Amino acid sequence: MKITKLHIYNYKNLNVELTNTSSIIALIGNNGSGKSNILEAISTIFFHLFQKKEKDIPFNFLIEYKFGGNQTVCIEKKNSTIHFKVDNNPRADIQQFLPKQIVALYSGEENRLWKKSYEPLYMAYVNNINKSETSGLGEYNIVPKMLYINKFYWHISLLCLLISDATDTKTFCEQTLGINKINSIKFDFKTANYANYTNSSVKTFINLIDKKSEYSIDELKKIISECPFPLDEVYKYLYLAFTPDKKKMLENITIKYNDNNLDIEDFSEGEKKMLLIKAALEFAGLEDSLFLLDEPDAHIHLNNKIQIKNVFKEYLDTRQVILTTHSPTLTDTLDEESLFMLNTGNLVHHKKQEILESVSGEFWNKFQQNAFIASKKPIILLVEGKHDKAHIHNAFEALKEDYQQLDFQCFILNGESKIQPFLSGLYESDFYTDKLYVGIYDNDGAGDKSFNNGFEKVKDNFKKLKESNGKENNSYFAIKLPKPNEITCDCTIETLYELERFEEAIQSATKSALGHLKNKSIDDIAKGIKEQAKNILSENSQTFNIEDFKNFRALFDLILEISNHRNSLIKGIKQEKSTQDVPETTKETSAGVEKYIEIYTDRRSTKVNGLYYNDKKVTIQNGSKLSIDVVDSYAQKTVRNKELKKIADLQENCWVLKEDKTFNSVSGAINYATGGNMNGWAHWIIKENKKPLETIREK
């Protein structure tokens, strides 16, 4: 199976149109970007399809995939209409062309997805387990169509890996998990629950292994080899016997290994995650299966992240893997065609990606590029190295009460020579010009040279990028670190601390170096102590007090001065523009001529049209589709529901207004429409220019 197209519209924050050519789809983005929502949306789609309840899917979508080697399956839902096609030919029924298995592997504590999409199918299977034909499962009735695997399946996964004779599985257990000897395997059976599984194949298998509670690995292998079940079915029978709450036939499996009699709790979190991934791919899914992996690299050691792709390799010909990740290391191991950046529920346009790739060169990977694109901060600081970022962050955490006007994020460019070309590339491409970008140079010889190249003076203490081709520049600036009083030497970020703080770090670094100087030159020793001292100072600064950061105030004052300067420039430009830039319309009322702006929102799967008036009132228009559900924190839930029953019609997944309704605030209106709690200025969109209402707030 290989997904070629995936379009999802108005599911939570998603509006995604994805075209794919790879067997791995890696969704990268910050928290809130919509990565996990895509996994939830796919699970929701197939949950309903497997039950033949496709019209109940609460959002529009299109999914197209290759199936059975060469057939193209397309499923599309528009409002209440759904279409099935195979090789472009309409089909009335799609069951035989659905994935053979959906396997979700989740790392966190959140069980919303299990409750919503996986548990209902599982419990339907358990409730029908004694029937000759389990409803909805068709030919593949060994287990439910949708399996959910998390931390509770470590022991099942490990057992099946250990009894496998496959060479790559043995290598995995020895090299990745560090297992060289199995001492014992103990089962805790719940015989009182066996009656729940009368005449089922699950019970048949359990009866084969419950002759005694403890086995050697050879004894267990012998029993498995003589039974009529292949190893992938053994995994699924163990899954079924263990999963159902209060109906378990199997309570636990304890595996002791190696000379010191370790058990599964002695694995690291990363090792546990790796064995779940390996076993799921090896045993849980059939060919033409779909695997959904939420942050599979979480808790895995940096060196082992690279192995994740190697685990996938042998399964990719017949399985589609969709994963989410925060990891730049894992991202770097994947092919470019597998990577998809997400930001606030939308795919980042390739043009933006290409621009950033061209200006960041080789010093930023996809993950770092995505973090830059996804930043919500109005001020972006570009610094030379990792210590600059750490010290500025720690100083701001200590002093932020005095600088509440500042809100910024730091990005590392790995050297002073890259700041000006980076800023220049952003300027030439008009990359997010609504932000302020400030390059920060060390106040030394190298910093001076770069600071004097490509910038023009604005004031004595800061410059802006030189304008070219008549293009205005109000966003790209540069500064040097302000030297503390009485400092005449070169000034790097460490110089902003009092001398005794750096002396403490030097002493600690020197002490650590003693006894490790053999076969090192004086220059190497000095360089090593210097770098170690910088690392120590950076780490120590996390616990410094406010007074230790006093010299950073000059830096934050300077950033604030640039921000105010830029705001005055932009305000002046706005005042020069005619008020005709505001997309106002007029209508005649009994009180005279009234001006308004047409606005809309589609947040939380709504379709709402409105009118914004000069007195900041908002009218939601007749015919708007409002959300049925509301967030828990929405205070007027009861009042809203009672009123909507009078002024709206309840239709499939929405309330449809039968009359206009006016509100005294923009946020009150959007919260009523969406059932959420959000900033109306940010989420009402002006129809004419597709910009947030916030952009005309002052006007």
PDB file of all heavy atoms in Angstrom, residues 8-32:
ATOM      1  N   ILE A   8      -7.375  16.708   3.589  1.00  0.00           N
ATOM      2  CA  ILE A   8      -8.250  16.750   4.765  1.00  0.00           C
ATOM      3  C   ILE A   8      -8.675  18.193   4.977  1.00  0.00           C
ATOM      4  O   ILE A   8      -7.825  19.089   5.054  1.00  0.00           O
ATOM      5  CB  ILE A   8      -7.528  16.217   6.022  1.00  0.00           C
ATOM      6  CG1 ILE A   8      -7.099  14.759   5.808  1.00  0.00           C
ATOM      7  CG2 ILE A   8      -8.428  16.322   7.253  1.00  0.00           C
ATOM      8  CD1 ILE A   8      -6.211  14.227   6.903  1.00  0.00           C
ATOM      9  N   TYR A   9      -9.983  18.414   5.095  1.00  0.00           N
ATOM     10  CA  TYR A   9     -10.505  19.767   5.198  1.00  0.00           C
ATOM     11  C   TYR A   9     -11.303  19.944   6.487  1.00  0.00           C
ATOM     12  O   TYR A   9     -12.222  19.182   6.788  1.00  0.00           O
ATOM     13  CB  TYR A   9     -11.410  20.089   4.004  1.00  0.00           C
ATOM     14  CG  TYR A   9     -10.747  19.860   2.655  1.00  0.00           C
ATOM     15  CD1 TYR A   9     -11.107  18.773   1.866  1.00  0.00           C
ATOM     16  CD2 TYR A   9      -9.761  20.719   2.199  1.00  0.00           C
ATOM     17  CE1 TYR A   9     -10.497  18.553   0.633  1.00  0.00           C
ATOM     18  CE2 TYR A   9      -9.145  20.514   0.971  1.00  0.00           C
ATOM     19  CZ  TYR A   9      -9.516  19.433   0.193  1.00  0.00           C
ATOM     20  OH  TYR A   9      -8.905  19.213  -1.019  1.00  0.00           O
ATOM     21  N   ASN A  10     -10.926  20.953   7.243  1.00  0.00           N
ATOM     22  CA  ASN A  10     -11.705  21.394   8.412  1.00  0.00           C
ATOM     23  C   ASN A  10     -11.892  20.308   9.464  1.00  0.00           C
ATOM     24  O   ASN A  10     -12.921  20.215  10.102  1.00  0.00           O
ATOM     25  CB  ASN A  10     -13.073  21.934   7.978  1.00  0.00           C
ATOM     26  CG  ASN A  10     -12.940  23.164   7.104  1.00  0.00           C
ATOM     27  OD1 ASN A  10     -12.099  24.019   7.349  1.00  0.00           O
ATOM     28  ND2 ASN A  10     -13.757  23.235   6.075  1.00  0.00           N
ATOM     29  N   TYR A  11     -10.872  19.469   9.628  1.00  0.00           N
ATOM     30  CA  TYR A  11     -10.850  18.600  10.803  1.00  0.00           C
ATOM     31  C   TYR A  11      -9.937  19.270  11.822  1.00  0.00           C
ATOM     32  O   TYR A  11      -8.736  19.408  11.611  1.00  0.00           O
ATOM     33  CB  TYR A  11     -10.330  17.202  10.472  1.00  0.00           C
ATOM     34  CG  TYR A  11     -10.216  16.321  11.708  1.00  0.00           C
ATOM     35  CD1 TYR A  11     -11.348  15.780  12.295  1.00  0.00           C
ATOM     36  CD2 TYR A  11      -8.985  16.060  12.289  1.00  0.00           C
ATOM     37  CE1 TYR A  11     -11.264  14.995  13.433  1.00  0.00           C
ATOM     38  CE2 TYR A  11      -8.887  15.273  13.428  1.00  0.00           C
ATOM     39  CZ  TYR A  11     -10.022  14.745  13.995  1.00  0.00           C
ATOM     40  OH  TYR A  11      -9.929  13.972  15.128  1.00  0.00           O
ATOM     41  N   LYS A  12     -10.534  19.738  12.936  1.00  0.00           N
ATOM     42  CA  LYS A  12      -9.801  20.538  13.920  1.00  0.00           C
ATOM     43  C   LYS A  12      -9.142  21.702  13.181  1.00  0.00           C
ATOM     44  O   LYS A  12      -9.817  22.496  12.559  1.00  0.00           O
ATOM     45  CB  LYS A  12      -8.822  19.658  14.701  1.00  0.00           C
ATOM     46  CG  LYS A  12      -9.545  18.592  15.524  1.00  0.00           C
ATOM     47  CD  LYS A  12      -8.634  17.847  16.447  1.00  0.00           C
ATOM     48  CE  LYS A  12      -9.446  16.890  17.318  1.00  0.00           C
ATOM     49  NZ  LYS A  12      -8.606  16.120  18.238  1.00  0.00           N
ATOM     50  N   ASN A  13      -7.793  21.792  13.225  1.00  0.00           N
ATOM     51  CA  ASN A  13      -7.150  22.931  12.560  1.00  0.00           C
ATOM     52  C   ASN A  13      -6.632  22.584  11.167  1.00  0.00           C
ATOM     53  O   ASN A  13      -5.883  23.362  10.566  1.00  0.00           O
ATOM     54  CB  ASN A  13      -5.992  23.458  13.416  1.00  0.00           C
ATOM     55  CG  ASN A  13      -4.814  22.481  13.500  1.00  0.00           C
ATOM     56  OD1 ASN A  13      -4.968  21.291  13.230  1.00  0.00           O
ATOM     57  ND2 ASN A  13      -3.650  22.974  13.889  1.00  0.00           N
ATOM     58  N   LEU A  14      -7.030  21.441  10.616  1.00  0.00           N
ATOM     59  CA  LEU A  14      -6.411  20.956   9.380  1.00  0.00           C
ATOM     60  C   LEU A  14      -7.100  21.463   8.121  1.00  0.00           C
ATOM     61  O   LEU A  14      -8.316  21.447   8.004  1.00  0.00           O
ATOM     62  CB  LEU A  14      -6.430  19.426   9.345  1.00  0.00           C
ATOM     63  CG  LEU A  14      -5.573  18.687  10.372  1.00  0.00           C
ATOM     64  CD1 LEU A  14      -5.762  17.184  10.204  1.00  0.00           C
ATOM     65  CD2 LEU A  14      -4.098  19.048  10.224  1.00  0.00           C
ATOM     66  N   ASN A  15      -6.284  21.922   7.187  1.00  0.00           N
ATOM     67  CA  ASN A  15      -6.665  22.118   5.791  1.00  0.00           C
ATOM     68  C   ASN A  15      -5.441  21.727   4.972  1.00  0.00           C
ATOM     69  O   ASN A  15      -4.588  22.554   4.654  1.00  0.00           O
ATOM     70  CB  ASN A  15      -7.083  23.565   5.517  1.00  0.00           C
ATOM     71  CG  ASN A  15      -8.532  23.808   5.889  1.00  0.00           C
ATOM     72  OD1 ASN A  15      -9.434  23.318   5.225  1.00  0.00           O
ATOM     73  ND2 ASN A  15      -8.751  24.549   6.963  1.00  0.00           N
ATOM     74  N   VAL A  16      -5.361  20.444   4.660  1.00  0.00           N
ATOM     75  CA  VAL A  16      -4.130  19.865   4.127  1.00  0.00           C
ATOM     76  C   VAL A  16      -4.403  19.204   2.789  1.00  0.00           C
ATOM     77  O   VAL A  16      -5.378  18.456   2.643  1.00  0.00           O
ATOM     78  CB  VAL A  16      -3.563  18.818   5.114  1.00  0.00           C
ATOM     79  CG1 VAL A  16      -2.450  18.011   4.461  1.00  0.00           C
ATOM     80  CG2 VAL A  16      -3.055  19.493   6.377  1.00  0.00           C
ATOM     81  N   GLU A  17      -3.543  19.484   1.815  1.00  0.00           N
ATOM     82  CA  GLU A  17      -3.569  18.778   0.535  1.00  0.00           C
ATOM     83  C   GLU A  17      -2.162  18.255   0.280  1.00  0.00           C
ATOM     84  O   GLU A  17      -1.258  19.008  -0.079  1.00  0.00           O
ATOM     85  CB  GLU A  17      -4.036  19.699  -0.590  1.00  0.00           C
ATOM     86  CG  GLU A  17      -5.491  20.130  -0.438  1.00  0.00           C
ATOM     87  CD  GLU A  17      -6.009  20.877  -1.650  1.00  0.00           C
ATOM     88  OE1 GLU A  17      -5.221  21.072  -2.612  1.00  0.00           O
ATOM     89  OE2 GLU A  17      -7.190  21.270  -1.657  1.00  0.00           O
ATOM     90  N   LEU A  18      -1.982  16.958   0.463  1.00  0.00           N
ATOM     91  CA  LEU A  18      -0.655  16.340   0.437  1.00  0.00           C
ATOM     92  C   LEU A  18      -0.568  15.387  -0.744  1.00  0.00           C
ATOM     93  O   LEU A  18      -1.454  14.558  -0.945  1.00  0.00           O
ATOM     94  CB  LEU A  18      -0.447  15.609   1.769  1.00  0.00           C
ATOM     95  CG  LEU A  18       0.856  14.872   2.056  1.00  0.00           C
ATOM     96  CD1 LEU A  18       1.081  14.815   3.575  1.00  0.00           C
ATOM     97  CD2 LEU A  18       0.823  13.443   1.511  1.00  0.00           C
ATOM     98  N   THR A  19       0.496  15.511  -1.523  1.00  0.00           N
ATOM     99  CA  THR A  19       0.783  14.583  -2.615  1.00  0.00           C
ATOM    100  C   THR A  19       2.076  13.855  -2.280  1.00  0.00           C
ATOM    101  O   THR A  19       3.083  14.482  -1.936  1.00  0.00           O
ATOM    102  CB  THR A  19       0.932  15.326  -3.951  1.00  0.00           C
ATOM    103  OG1 THR A  19      -0.287  16.031  -4.222  1.00  0.00           O
ATOM    104  CG2 THR A  19       1.207  14.356  -5.080  1.00  0.00           C
ATOM    105  N   ASN A  20       2.077  12.524  -2.386  1.00  0.00           N
ATOM    106  CA  ASN A  20       3.187  11.732  -1.860  1.00  0.00           C
ATOM    107  C   ASN A  20       3.668  10.698  -2.878  1.00  0.00           C
ATOM    108  O   ASN A  20       2.885  10.151  -3.646  1.00  0.00           O
ATOM    109  CB  ASN A  20       2.727  11.020  -0.573  1.00  0.00           C
ATOM    110  CG  ASN A  20       3.769  10.037  -0.071  1.00  0.00           C
ATOM    111  OD1 ASN A  20       4.893  10.416   0.221  1.00  0.00           O
ATOM    112  ND2 ASN A  20       3.399   8.771   0.011  1.00  0.00           N
ATOM    113  N   THR A  21       4.977  10.421  -2.853  1.00  0.00           N
ATOM    114  CA  THR A  21       5.556   9.384  -3.710  1.00  0.00           C
ATOM    115  C   THR A  21       6.357   8.366  -2.912  1.00  0.00           C
ATOM    116  O   THR A  21       6.984   7.488  -3.479  1.00  0.00           O
ATOM    117  CB  THR A  21       6.482  10.012  -4.768  1.00  0.00           C
ATOM    118  OG1 THR A  21       7.530  10.749  -4.104  1.00  0.00           O
ATOM    119  CG2 THR A  21       5.715  10.938  -5.689  1.00  0.00           C
ATOM    120  N   SER A  22       6.351   8.479  -1.585  1.00  0.00           N
ATOM    121  CA  SER A  22       7.223   7.659  -0.745  1.00  0.00           C
ATOM    122  C   SER A  22       6.420   6.704   0.131  1.00  0.00           C
ATOM    123  O   SER A  22       5.241   6.932   0.418  1.00  0.00           O
ATOM    124  CB  SER A  22       8.082   8.570   0.145  1.00  0.00           C
ATOM    125  OG  SER A  22       8.818   7.815   1.089  1.00  0.00           O
ATOM    126  N   SER A  23       7.076   5.630   0.591  1.00  0.00           N
ATOM    127  CA  SER A  23       6.444   4.692   1.520  1.00  0.00           C
ATOM    128  C   SER A  23       6.526   5.186   2.963  1.00  0.00           C
ATOM    129  O   SER A  23       5.934   4.578   3.855  1.00  0.00           O
ATOM    130  CB  SER A  23       7.111   3.314   1.422  1.00  0.00           C
ATOM    131  OG  SER A  23       6.871   2.749   0.160  1.00  0.00           O
ATOM    132  N   ILE A  24       7.275   6.259   3.192  1.00  0.00           N
ATOM    133  CA  ILE A  24       7.305   6.906   4.503  1.00  0.00           C
ATOM    134  C   ILE A  24       6.829   8.343   4.334  1.00  0.00           C
ATOM    135  O   ILE A  24       7.337   9.081   3.493  1.00  0.00           O
ATOM    136  CB  ILE A  24       8.719   6.915   5.115  1.00  0.00           C
ATOM    137  CG1 ILE A  24       9.219   5.496   5.368  1.00  0.00           C
ATOM    138  CG2 ILE A  24       8.725   7.699   6.436  1.00  0.00           C
ATOM    139  CD1 ILE A  24      10.624   5.445   5.948  1.00  0.00           C
ATOM    140  N   ILE A  25       5.839   8.722   5.105  1.00  0.00           N
ATOM    141  CA  ILE A  25       5.410  10.118   5.174  1.00  0.00           C
ATOM    142  C   ILE A  25       5.774  10.623   6.566  1.00  0.00           C
ATOM    143  O   ILE A  25       5.241  10.132   7.562  1.00  0.00           O
ATOM    144  CB  ILE A  25       3.899  10.259   4.945  1.00  0.00           C
ATOM    145  CG1 ILE A  25       3.533   9.801   3.523  1.00  0.00           C
ATOM    146  CG2 ILE A  25       3.442  11.692   5.170  1.00  0.00           C
ATOM    147  CD1 ILE A  25       2.034   9.782   3.254  1.00  0.00           C
ATOM    148  N   ALA A  26       6.693  11.564   6.637  1.00  0.00           N
ATOM    149  CA  ALA A  26       7.140  12.105   7.921  1.00  0.00           C
ATOM    150  C   ALA A  26       6.582  13.513   8.081  1.00  0.00           C
ATOM    151  O   ALA A  26       6.902  14.412   7.301  1.00  0.00           O
ATOM    152  CB  ALA A  26       8.663  12.128   7.994  1.00  0.00           C
ATOM    153  N   LEU A  27       5.749  13.700   9.080  1.00  0.00           N
ATOM    154  CA  LEU A  27       5.125  14.995   9.359  1.00  0.00           C
ATOM    155  C   LEU A  27       5.934  15.698  10.433  1.00  0.00           C
ATOM    156  O   LEU A  27       6.028  15.206  11.567  1.00  0.00           O
ATOM    157  CB  LEU A  27       3.686  14.795   9.819  1.00  0.00           C
ATOM    158  CG  LEU A  27       2.803  13.963   8.876  1.00  0.00           C
ATOM    159  CD1 LEU A  27       1.486  13.609   9.551  1.00  0.00           C
ATOM    160  CD2 LEU A  27       2.559  14.704   7.572  1.00  0.00           C
ATOM    161  N   ILE A  28       6.536  16.824  10.095  1.00  0.00           N
ATOM    162  CA  ILE A  28       7.374  17.523  11.056  1.00  0.00           C
ATOM    163  C   ILE A  28       6.765  18.885  11.362  1.00  0.00           C
ATOM    164  O   ILE A  28       6.175  19.537  10.504  1.00  0.00           O
ATOM    165  CB  ILE A  28       8.833  17.681  10.546  1.00  0.00           C
ATOM    166  CG1 ILE A  28       8.891  18.466   9.233  1.00  0.00           C
ATOM    167  CG2 ILE A  28       9.475  16.330  10.356  1.00  0.00           C
ATOM    168  CD1 ILE A  28      10.299  18.719   8.742  1.00  0.00           C
ATOM    169  N   GLY A  29       6.895  19.288  12.602  1.00  0.00           N
ATOM    170  CA  GLY A  29       6.337  20.571  13.021  1.00  0.00           C
ATOM    171  C   GLY A  29       6.328  20.686  14.526  1.00  0.00           C
ATOM    172  O   GLY A  29       6.503  19.705  15.249  1.00  0.00           O
ATOM    173  N   ASN A  30       6.126  21.899  15.013  1.00  0.00           N
ATOM    174  CA  ASN A  30       6.086  22.150  16.442  1.00  0.00           C
ATOM    175  C   ASN A  30       4.766  21.673  17.032  1.00  0.00           C
ATOM    176  O   ASN A  30       3.840  21.290  16.318  1.00  0.00           O
ATOM    177  CB  ASN A  30       6.282  23.646  16.729  1.00  0.00           C
ATOM    178  CG  ASN A  30       7.628  24.141  16.251  1.00  0.00           C
ATOM    179  OD1 ASN A  30       8.581  23.375  16.194  1.00  0.00           O
ATOM    180  ND2 ASN A  30       7.720  25.412  15.913  1.00  0.00           N
ATOM    181  N   ASN A  31       4.666  21.713  18.365  1.00  0.00           N
ATOM    182  CA  ASN A  31       3.399  21.396  19.021  1.00  0.00           C
ATOM    183  C   ASN A  31       2.316  22.340  18.507  1.00  0.00           C
ATOM    184  O   ASN A  31       2.534  23.544  18.377  1.00  0.00           O
ATOM    185  CB  ASN A  31       3.537  21.534  20.537  1.00  0.00           C
ATOM    186  CG  ASN A  31       4.387  20.438  21.136  1.00  0.00           C
ATOM    187  OD1 ASN A  31       4.486  19.341  20.588  1.00  0.00           O
ATOM    188  ND2 ASN A  31       5.016  20.717  22.266  1.00  0.00           N
ATOM    189  N   GLY A  32       1.143  21.786  18.221  1.00  0.00           N
ATOM    190  CA  GLY A  32       0.051  22.599  17.703  1.00  0.00           C
ATOM    191  C   GLY A  32       0.063  22.759  16.204  1.00  0.00           C
ATOM    192  O   GLY A  32      -0.809  23.419  15.636  1.00  0.00           O
TER     193      GLY A  32
END
